[in-house]
Amino acid sequence: MAPILESVRLGKTLHHVESVARTSLAATAALLVEDRAGDAIALLGAADTALRKMNSVLIPFQRERVERVLERARELLGPDATEEAWDRGAALEPDAAVDLAREALESYSTAVD
C-alpha cells in the first residue's frame, strides 16, 4: 500500500485531481477491510464526480473494482445507505476526498504492518 499512499500524497501536492481520483479507488478496498463500507462508497462517489468533471472514464479493471466494492457495500449497508454514502462522497470537496483516501491507506498500512 505504500506506493499507492505515496501516489495519493504526490497527486495532492501536484494538484493532479485525475491521478488522485484513480489512485483513491485502491483505498476503497482498505476501507472495506476496516469495516468502513460507508466511507468506501463515499470515496467512490468522490472519485466518480472528479473523473466526470474531467470527462474521464474508468478503465475496465477499475470499473470491475468499483462494481465489487458497490456490491459488497450493498450487502453490508443496504441499498439506501449505499446511495446516501455515494451522494455524501460526490459532494465532498477534492481535498476532503484526498484526506479520506490518505487516512484509509495510512490506517490500513498500519494495521497490516
Side-chain angles (χ1 to χ4, degrees):
M1 282 294 186
I4 296 170
L5 179 57
E6 189 56 34
S7 181
V8 168
R9 287 180 182 149
L10 183 60
K12 182 178 181 181
T13 300
L14 298 175
H15 305 287
H16 195 267
V17 176
E18 183 174 9
S19 169
V20 171
R22 290 184 184 283
T23 305
S24 295
L25 296 175
T28 61
L31 288 166
L32 282 179
V33 168
E34 294 179 354
D35 295 325
R36 293 173 54 191
D39 286 340
I41 297 308
L43 191 53
L44 287 180
D48 180 69
T49 298
L51 292 171
R52 285 179 192 269
K53 285 180 181 177
M54 294 177 287
N55 294 318
S56 188
V57 296
L58 296 177
I59 57 178
F61 89 87
Q62 290 171 324
R63 230 181 352 261
E64 291 169 13
R65 175 184 294 258
V66 168
E67 288 304 318
R68 285 194 309 269
V69 171
L70 280 169
E71 181 179 323
R72 182 65 181 135
R74 284 185 192 108
E75 291 171 4
L76 294 169
L77 302 172
D80 291 341
T82 299
E83 185 175 334
E84 288 172 14
W86 182 280
D87 292 344
R88 176 172 51 93
L92 284 176
E93 292 295 323
D95 280 349
V98 169
D99 290 343
L100 178 59
R102 190 183 70 241
E103 175 200 337
L105 292 165
E106 286 173 347
S107 64
Y108 180 80
S109 295
T110 302
V112 171
D113 291 340

